[in-house]
Amino acid sequence: MNTMRMSPEFATAFRARLVEHVNTTARPKRRRALLTGGITLTLVLGGTAAAAATGLIPLPGGTEVTELAETTSGTFTGIGALELGQRPAGATGVAVSLTCLTPGTFTFDDGASVTCGDGSDSAHPTTYVVPTEAVTGNQVSIVTGPDAVWTMTATWVLADTTEWAVNADGYTYGVINENGEPDLIAVLTADNQPGYVWRGDLYDANGTTAAESFTSPEDALRWQEANAGTVHYLPVYESDGTTQIGEFEVGGN
């Protein structure tokens, strides 16, 4: 293991208290990223510092993170654990930035995981907050295959969920979090621009609306079979819910 200081770019993002989450697993049949503020889902965000600089994070309802201790870093092959130092009073989680150096699946202490392929995306960090109740002692660990190589930077943090914002028409907008889903849900367009889709539109496209009428598992399977390969292109708006800026793709798997 090679211990090192974190990069200036990551330090800037951490100390700006900007950590945001991209949920790639909460709902099936979605290709473009759906942003989420929850700290119990794997987060995939290419370049935390870059995202902070563009104003992408934090979004209303997202997780605001305050660093409580010095950061530590390490490079590992296979299963490994990073020593964090004494847990500060008030810590609610460990903010982690994990970079896959080889393909593989990397599992955090709370069971969330990220899978890296052999493409360029593997070089992008996965930023995530592991809740303290999942952390054993004063270290955060990753479980992966024996030949997988990865680096991680982490520190103790206080993570607080922010409030959703309300637009001029009284509709809430922001990211999905443990409190539910706002009227306008944050997404990334096909060209990776941040915006919002109406919750009802997303529910119609991803099967949530249809599921209200299901009375058996067979109903769900029939719906999935009938909609297999179907792609829905939802309009993406600014926070006003009327100014369209792009499209969000749902389905196609």
Side-chain angles (χ1 to χ4, degrees):
M1 181 184 76
N2 297 320
T3 302
M4 65 193 77
R5 297 295 298 172
M6 68 177 178
S7 68
E9 293 80 10
F10 188 72
T12 299
F14 249 174
R15 288 174 172 77
R17 303 177 184 179
L18 302 176
V19 173
E20 190 50 78
H21 301 264
V22 179
N23 172 14
T24 61
T25 60
R27 294 189 183 277
K29 305 183 186 304
R30 181 174 58 239
R31 288 190 175 183
R32 296 295 170 186
L34 181 63
L35 304 183
T36 172
I39 63 173
T40 58
L41 299 173
T42 301
L43 172 147
V44 180
L45 185 61
T48 303
T54 61
L56 177 59
I57 57 176
L59 289 171
T63 304
E64 183 179 73
V65 173
T66 302
E67 182 183 354
L68 299 179
E70 292 294 323
T71 59
T72 57
S73 299
T75 300
F76 305 83
T77 299
I79 296 174
L82 185 63
E83 293 291 338
L84 301 171
Q86 185 174 355
R87 182 180 305 194
T92 60
V94 177
V96 172
S97 178
L98 179 139
T99 301
C100 316
L101 301 181
T102 61
T105 296
F106 303 83
T107 303
F108 297 93
D109 288 311
D110 64 345
S113 64
V114 59
T115 298
C116 297
D118 55 5
S120 59
D121 286 346
S122 298
H124 293 160
T126 292
T127 308
Y128 185 67
V129 178
V130 180
T132 52
E133 56 266 27
V135 177
T136 301
N138 293 326
Q139 62 182 24
V140 63
S141 61
I142 293 292
V143 175
T144 187
D147 298 323
V149 183
W150 49 281
T151 65
M152 183 165 66
T153 297
T155 187
W156 296 106
V157 297
L158 171 64
D160 290 315
T161 301
T162 62
E163 297 290 332
W164 291 321
V166 180
N167 66 20
D169 292 323
Y171 294 105
T172 56
Y173 64 91
V175 299
I176 297 171
N177 58 36
E178 66 270 22
N179 297 318
E181 302 176 358
D183 299 312
L184 288 156
I185 298 172
V187 298
L188 297 178
T189 65
D191 57 352
N192 292 319
Q193 298 301 310
Y196 299 89
V197 296
W198 284 102
R199 181 177 58 203
D201 290 346
L202 183 62
Y203 280 5
D204 290 344
N206 68 15
T208 300
T209 300
E212 295 176 356
S213 64
F214 296 164
T215 59
S216 69
E218 289 73 23
D219 290 341
L221 289 173
R222 281 192 290 269
W223 185 91
Q224 289 179 339
E225 292 172 356
N227 288 273
T230 301
V231 179
H232 301 273
Y233 296 95
L234 308 185
V236 178
Y237 303 99
E238 293 183 0
S239 60
D240 59 11
T242 58
T243 305
Q244 186 172 349
I245 61 172
E247 292 184 327
F248 179 65
E249 183 180 333
V250 180
N253 292 337

